[in-house]
Amino acid sequence: MLEHGAAPPSAGSDPRPPSSSGGLGARLMRRKPVERLVAEGGQGEGGTLRRSMGMWQLTMISIGATLGTGIFVVLGDAVPKAGPAVIVSFVIAGITALFSALSYAELAGSIPVSGSSYSYAYATLGELVAWVCGWCLILEYGVSVAAVAVGWGEYLNELLSGTIGVTLPAALSAPPGDGGIFNLPALIVVLLAMVFLLGGAKESARANAIMVTVKIIALLLFCGVAVQGISSGNYANFMPLGIAGVSGAGATLFFSYIGFDAASTAGEEAKNPQRDLPRAIMLSLIIVTALYCLVAAVAVGAKPWKNFEGSEAALAGIMKDVTGQSFWAVLLAAGAVIAIASVVLTVLYGQTRILFAMSRDGLVPKVFAKVHPKSGVPRANTVMVSLFCGVLAAAVPLGQLADATSIGTLFAFALVNIAVIVLRFTRPDMPRSFRTPLSPVFPALGLLMCLYMMYSLEVVTWVVFGVWLVVGLVVYFVYGMRRSRLATAEK
């Protein structure tokens, strides 16, 4: 529940953590005091981030980062796994996200910084766990930018085909492994997002709000038109692949909920983060879940579930089939192009802010924390992350990216639920502008559901995740552990 007017913890009230000295175990478990995290808010190398966002802008960031990925892109992958019961899969993924969202809301109001769950883990679970969480967030945000950008090219081709009668050749609109050589549209949309972000947080938030409004209108338009093509027979065999298929689709669709935590990465650029961050997180999740379930119900009612296989622009195809005209499909494709671009913009923003926080702590090179004094933007950070994500999007197929993102996200969310429980026991009197109901029951349920959905993912996804973690641990022990600001403060 919200507590109006809650103040941030006062600096200096938390003693130096007992893990600040000692052997290797103590060094790996050293924690960064909450008060220090809050006090350093906005501070970068050579400049500071600017507090320019209110609750509306923060909510739009979360919706912008979330709404679009599951419906416009991943629906074509999820329906063949669950059939019409994909509606239930969306509900399962939404409930899983809800428990984690409650935990995020509590921590975002208590520790309103850019690092999101990385910073929360640093304050509660120690440096090594925080590093692992941050490494998973890089997978969550950076790779999801690439995954969403891949789907953007599909709808761009739909738009081009319906307006000027031409499409980009497969060689330039699909990555290797999907029949192409280089996905040029995916690279372009990431670079366009980079240009917006370099203009400043306030300007980016304004552009995102416009794009979010357009995509909500586009989805409601889809429902209004496609509902005319619903056939009750398409719901007849509701769960053709059983509960395992529903769970598997839910795990894949969880990818489409990852954006709700994007507002927490804006903690150092919010005007009143203690009040507005929890509200923005919860409001965005409610809006997105309602739209997802509505659109999924209409989509599987208007098109036999077996016909979704291999369709990454499924909604535009349904509009065309129902009306027999290309106009509506073109209109939806235009909305999808804008919608997916806003996801790329906001998720890319979140990635840069997480690296900003990790860099300020010394765990990654300090170039990621350099802020331009005039624009208040970490320019070098933004450019490097954008180029990396753009190249990744141009070279890797969508399905592999989506599942890899899901497991990284679920792991980070699991740590957030643990962090809430730990802070409730270790800092029970710390001011909280939002409290997770029935704690520790709800955070524990969030943790268990995250673990269950991780278990539902394919073996190859676990292998990729394991390799990613091993690489991350090597980077930490070779670089981060020695350059950590907490480590240098101990010398």
Side-chain angles (χ1 to χ4, degrees):
M1 57 184 176
L2 288 172
E3 296 175 359
H4 296 287
S10 56
S13 62
D14 188 28
R16 189 178 183 87
S19 57
S20 59
S21 60
L24 177 61
R27 292 167 64 189
L28 298 179
M29 291 296 293
R30 56 193 169 207
R31 300 183 302 277
K32 188 171 183 179
V34 172
E35 289 73 22
R36 180 171 173 180
L37 281 166
V38 176
E40 290 179 353
Q43 299 177 17
E45 296 284 337
T48 58
L49 302 178
R50 296 174 181 173
R51 295 195 178 275
S52 58
M53 299 187 200
M55 191 191 77
W56 176 248
Q57 289 88 350
L58 294 170
T59 303
M60 289 296 102
I61 285 177
S62 285
I63 295 177
T66 310
L67 187 59
T69 52
I71 290 299
F72 286 109
V73 180
V74 186
L75 190 63
D77 289 335
V79 172
K81 295 180 180 180
V86 72
I87 304 166
V88 180
S89 300
F90 268 114
V91 173
I92 292 173
I95 292 173
T96 303
L98 173 62
F99 287 120
S100 296
L102 291 169
S103 294
Y104 260 101
E106 176 168 328
L107 293 178
S110 305
I111 314 174
V113 293
S114 292
S116 187
S117 52
Y118 154 76
S119 294
Y120 310 152
Y122 212 164
T124 56
L125 304 174
E127 185 172 283
L128 178 61
V129 177
W131 167 265
V132 172
C133 186
W135 193 246
C136 288
L137 288 174
I138 293 174
L139 184 66
E140 172 190 345
Y141 279 85
V143 178
S144 67
V145 167
V148 175
V150 171
W152 188 78
E154 294 288 330
Y155 278 98
L156 180 63
N157 263 338
E158 286 281 340
L159 181 60
L160 292 175
S161 176
T163 52
I164 60 177
V166 299
T167 59
L168 295 172
L172 294 179
S173 59
D178 276 359
I181 299 174
F182 191 81
N183 194 329
L184 183 61
L187 175 61
I188 290 174
V189 72
V190 175
L191 295 181
L192 287 174
M194 179 188 74
V195 172
F196 275 110
L197 291 176
L198 290 175
K202 185 176 181 179
E203 292 74 13
S204 300
R206 184 182 296 116
N208 173 66
I210 295 172
M211 289 189 283
V212 167
T213 302
V214 170
K215 66 181 170 183
I216 290 176
I217 292 173
L219 288 174
L220 293 177
L221 175 65
F222 166 81
C223 292
V225 174
V227 71
Q228 303 172 45
I230 289 180
S231 170
S232 59
N234 290 335
Y235 298 114
N237 190 10
F238 189 71
M239 198 179 294
L241 302 174
I243 191 65
V246 173
S247 297
T252 296
L253 288 173
F254 192 82
F255 163 81
S256 63
Y257 284 92
I258 67 170
F260 76 79
D261 60 325
S264 66
T265 67
E268 296 174 26
E269 291 162 285
K271 296 176 182 178
N272 191 341
Q274 283 83 8
R275 182 196 67 188
D276 293 340
L277 286 177
R279 294 177 178 179
I281 290 171
M282 298 308 302
L283 182 58
S284 64
L285 183 61
I286 292 170
I287 293 172
V288 166
T289 302
L291 280 170
Y292 277 167
C293 292
L294 175 63
V295 174
V298 173
V300 296
K303 182 176 183 177
W305 70 271
K306 292 182 179 179
N307 295 345
F308 278 80
E309 186 73 42
S311 175
E312 290 177 0
L315 299 190
I318 291 173
M319 292 276 273
K320 188 173 182 179
D321 293 341
V322 169
T323 63
Q325 302 175 7
S326 60
F327 169 77
W328 295 105
V330 170
L331 198 60
L332 185 73
V337 166
I338 295 173
I340 298 173
S342 75
V343 177
V344 174
L345 173 67
T346 49
V347 176
L348 191 64
Y349 166 84
Q351 174 66 97
T352 60
R353 270 42 179 188
I354 289 165
L355 281 171
F356 172 85
M358 296 177 72
S359 175
R360 186 171 56 199
D361 292 333
L363 300 182
V364 298
K366 63 181 182 180
V367 65
F368 289 101
K370 288 186 177 179
V371 177
H372 192 272
K374 291 185 178 180
S375 64
V377 173
R379 285 189 174 180
N381 179 344
T382 301
V383 171
M384 289 189 290
V385 170
S386 300
L387 292 177
F388 172 79
C389 292
V391 172
L392 190 66
V396 182
L398 170 64
Q400 297 175 22
L401 290 173
D403 283 347
T405 302
S406 291
I407 196 167
T409 302
L410 287 164
F411 186 82
F413 284 8
L415 292 180
V416 169
N417 286 297
I418 295 173
V420 167
I421 297 172
V422 170
L423 265 185
R424 284 292 187 98
F425 283 101
T426 59
R427 300 290 303 278
D429 298 326
M430 186 176 72
R432 291 169 171 85
S433 60
F434 179 92
R435 288 181 175 269
T436 303
L438 299 179
S439 183
V441 176
F442 276 12
L445 286 174
L447 170 63
L448 291 174
M449 294 189 76
C450 286
L451 295 177
Y452 172 72
M453 297 195 79
M454 290 176 71
Y455 174 77
S456 299
L457 291 169
E458 298 178 0
V459 173
V460 65
T461 305
W462 276 95
V463 172
V464 171
F465 182 60
V467 172
W468 179 258
L469 285 183
V470 169
V471 172
L473 290 174
V474 170
V475 173
Y476 172 73
F477 283 109
V478 171
Y479 182 92
M481 186 175 69
R482 293 174 175 81
R483 294 177 179 266
S484 161
R485 288 185 62 186
L486 289 185
T488 55
E490 294 168 5
K491 296 179 180 179

